[in-house]
Amino acid sequence: MQISMKYGSAVMVVNADMESADSDRRPLLAPAGAAPPVVKTYKRRWYILAVYSALGFMQCAIWNTWGPITEAALVAFPGWGELTISSLTNVALIAFIVFMAPYCWLLDKKGVRPAVVLMAACLAVGTALRCITLQQPFFNIFAFVASVLTGVAGIMAMAAPPYISAMWFAPHQRTTATGVPNVLNQLGMSGSFLLGPLVVAQPSKNPPPGPPSNTTGNVTGVATALAANLAGAAESLLDESARWIGVVSSNVTNGTHPTPAELRSDIMDLMYIDAGICLVLFVMTLAYFPSRPPLPPSISASTNTVTFREGLGMAFRHPDLICIVLAYSLSQGVMGAWFGILDINVRPLGVTENEASMMGMWAGICCCAFALVVARLTDMFRGHIKATIIGLLVVGLAHWCWLLAIVAGWAPFSNVHLFCAVLVAICCTYAASPLLFEYASEVSYPIPEDVVGATMSFTFNLVGMLYLLFFLNKRLAEQTVWLNYCLVVATAIPIVLMLRTKSVYRRSAVDDASVTAAITESVSGYQPL
């Protein structure tokens, strides 16, 4: 049976049994002679964005639970090794890949609300399981189950930002709205670097209370006094941050060297904190999170074109989209996996776990702030996404090369040099992430945004999983210089891929066109430019 639905001033015909997401799939063209759909934005869109972004924040923080407290976890659980830590991370990536297809089916058939509720439920249940007991082997089982559920939740956290921004936000806000959940997801990594060492005491000896050592912060005689002062200030910030974390951690155990039992108690406190936050977000999601607004925010949002399966077929035949997907998965996937094991990568340089945690926290905060600024400027000065992406990747590549030189011993090492190389490389590389999502949605239109997001997220996690699988090789797990070679290659190749794409903004053209302009492309006769 078919019924008529009025959407704004345009009338559409839909199947009566399509009550959720299927009713979101509207025809590409309005009926001949029909008025264009009424567009409107709602203040509630900021609540939707806030709840969804907070879920993404917690998903990433839980995924990286064990990286910042690796040393404490190895002491608290004697049966664990570094392979266990990397396996907990990799299990989430594997779950992401395995459950991608059924989750996308849920999103396509049932709509955004059931998919987001399931995301929140996975986080709440997974974190609650880790609070049941620390007894072995039960805690090991619960930890791996929680990692699987975290990976399932990551599907919605990573695949849906362009879809939600297109569904709720006007064209001049879309890049910013795509950037916010992406940034909050990455900020969850920084949150884990802060919260983990803050709650869980570190088994390594805390730094002495005296002034920080200058052995790693010396400036050559050629450097100016100003450079010396800046370098000293930067290193002091890093050292004092690490010392502050050390002091707080030592307070957890009343200044004594923490025992395995005390470390397990600290870890359980961390589990309780994660579970409490996720439970609150789950309740907020259940209370209010509709699949779509009553009226669309733009003309392109009112002309969602094809089903998910049809969109996948179109995506595989779109050469420019394939280049963008590969560029995103390589540049972001390798960096994201490397960021989760930052402590392992810099340990051979003598960097302590507290220092690595602070480096990760500050790098994550700065890259998130920078990404938001870049996304907002891209919204303000539309039409330059491709050039911006290439520029960011070029600067990021230069600093990844600097990091490789430091780790390989080709360039002088100091905490300041290491911090600057990591900070700028991560900031520039990550700032390209929301732009790549938006650029892919623009170039591939009328392929739906959820298809674009799911495809990019799938390849992103596939690359990250393959990257971490190299740790199964004992020699590679011990000699970690190869991690930095991968970062250089994974940033250089996307630059070449981006240069091959054609800068075409189809979706923006639809929104900017007059209401009487006809869209000449049809789904059946779609041909990429």
Side-chain angles (χ1 to χ4, degrees):
M1 183 179 70
Q2 292 184 328
I3 60 173
S4 294
M5 283 184 61
K6 181 173 287 289
Y7 195 89
S9 57
V11 178
M12 298 174 296
V13 179
V14 298
N15 292 329
D17 58 347
M18 297 181 180
E19 296 180 354
S20 55
D22 284 350
S23 62
D24 292 344
R25 304 292 187 186
R26 309 178 190 88
L28 177 62
L29 296 175
V38 176
V39 296
K40 181 180 179 180
T41 56
Y42 297 85
K43 291 182 179 179
R44 73 192 75 167
R45 70 189 186 278
W46 299 110
Y47 170 85
I48 298 296
L49 189 66
V51 173
Y52 174 69
S53 300
L55 288 170
F57 177 95
M58 289 307 301
Q59 188 275 331
C60 191
I62 295 167
W63 173 76
N64 194 46
T65 295
W66 305 106
I69 58 170
T70 297
E71 293 181 9
L74 296 181
V75 174
F77 307 108
W80 284 26
E82 288 190 352
L83 179 61
T84 308
I85 303 297
S86 61
S87 296
L88 284 168
T89 301
N90 228 5
V91 162
L93 298 179
I94 295 172
F96 185 104
I97 294 171
V98 170
F99 290 97
M100 169 66 83
Y103 207 107
C104 289
W105 175 88
L106 175 67
L107 177 62
D108 184 48
K109 297 299 181 182
K110 302 300 180 181
V112 174
R113 175 176 170 79
V116 174
V117 169
L118 177 60
M119 172 190 178
C122 285
L123 294 177
V125 172
T127 53
L129 286 175
R130 300 191 304 183
C131 296
I132 294 177
T133 180
L134 287 175
Q135 296 296 321
Q136 301 294 338
F138 302 108
F139 182 76
N140 289 3
I141 297 173
F142 292 147
F144 275 95
V145 172
S147 294
V148 171
L149 294 176
T150 302
V152 175
I155 299 172
M156 192 65 187
M158 299 185 64
Y163 183 71
I164 289 180
S165 68
M167 186 67 68
W168 285 89
F169 288 84
H172 67 280
Q173 296 176 334
R174 279 196 299 238
T175 305
T176 304
T178 299
V180 169
N182 272 286
V183 162
L184 265 293
N185 187 248
Q186 177 66 27
L187 199 59
M189 185 82 71
S190 297
S192 66
F193 276 113
L194 174 63
L195 184 61
L198 183 64
V199 176
V200 181
Q202 301 303 304
S204 57
K205 184 178 179 180
N206 291 325
S213 172
N214 274 333
T215 57
T216 60
N218 292 330
V219 181
T220 63
V222 181
T224 62
L226 177 60
N229 291 333
L230 291 176
E235 186 163 1
S236 296
L237 174 63
L238 182 61
D239 290 344
E240 290 302 323
S241 299
R243 181 175 293 107
W244 177 74
I245 288 295
V247 170
V248 175
S249 297
S250 65
N251 288 339
V252 177
T253 53
N254 298 320
T256 62
H257 193 73
T259 65
E262 290 171 334
L263 290 174
R264 286 192 291 270
S265 176
D266 291 348
I267 290 174
M268 181 56 79
D269 290 339
L270 181 62
M271 303 297 101
Y272 286 142
I273 293 172
D274 288 341
I277 297 174
C278 290
L279 180 60
V280 170
L281 291 175
F282 177 61
V283 172
M284 293 178 66
T285 305
L286 282 178
Y288 184 77
F289 203 103
S291 287
R292 50 176 284 189
L295 293 174
S298 64
I299 295 177
S300 61
S302 70
T303 55
N304 207 338
T305 60
V306 295
T307 65
F308 194 90
R309 181 180 299 179
E310 293 170 338
L312 281 178
M314 295 166 63
F316 289 136
R317 299 193 302 269
H318 200 301
D320 283 348
L321 179 59
I322 293 174
C323 287
I324 299 171
V325 169
L326 291 176
Y328 173 80
S329 58
L330 287 173
S331 63
Q332 307 301 318
V334 173
M335 184 191 69
W338 172 85
F339 200 23
I341 53 175
L342 173 63
D343 174 47
I344 297 175
N345 186 45
V346 299
R347 187 181 302 166
L349 298 174
V351 179
T352 66
E353 186 171 90
N354 282 337
E355 289 173 335
S357 295
M358 285 301 96
M359 189 182 303
M361 184 196 73
W362 286 112
I365 292 174
C366 291
C367 82
C368 291
F370 184 63
L372 281 178
V373 171
V374 172
R376 188 59 195 146
L377 290 175
T378 304
D379 269 335
M380 294 172 63
F381 305 99
R382 300 166 63 188
H384 305 284
I385 298 181
K386 176 181 174 179
T388 305
I389 292 172
I390 294 175
L392 291 169
L393 292 179
V394 167
V395 177
L397 175 61
H399 286 79
W400 289 128
C401 291
W402 186 18
L403 177 63
L404 172 61
I406 292 174
V407 174
W410 306 333
F413 162 73
S414 73
N415 281 350
V416 175
H417 293 165
L418 181 66
F419 183 80
C420 290
V422 170
L423 178 66
V424 179
I426 291 178
C427 282
C428 292
T429 305
Y430 182 73
S433 176
L435 304 189
L436 285 164
F437 270 108
E438 282 300 296
Y439 187 54
S441 298
E442 291 283 354
V443 170
S444 63
Y445 187 82
I447 299 176
E449 288 84 359
D450 53 345
V451 175
V452 174
T455 304
M456 297 177 71
S457 300
F458 177 84
T459 55
F460 167 90
N461 281 275
L462 181 62
V463 169
M465 183 190 70
L466 295 176
Y467 183 70
L468 292 177
L469 280 177
F470 284 110
F471 272 92
L472 296 178
N473 184 295
K474 184 177 180 180
R475 182 178 178 183
L476 293 178
E478 295 173 352
Q479 303 293 331
T480 57
V481 178
W482 63 272
L483 295 170
N484 304 279
Y485 283 99
C486 291
L487 287 168
V488 172
V489 174
T491 309
I493 295 177
I495 296 174
V496 178
L497 293 172
M498 289 300 300
L499 289 172
R500 294 178 57 88
T501 63
K502 297 178 181 178
S503 186
V504 180
Y505 299 90
R506 290 191 178 90
R507 188 176 61 173
S508 293
V510 172
D511 292 325
D512 295 339
S514 63
V515 294
T516 58
I519 303 173
T520 58
E521 293 174 346
S522 66
V523 173
S524 59
Y526 171 74
Q527 294 292 332
L529 294 179

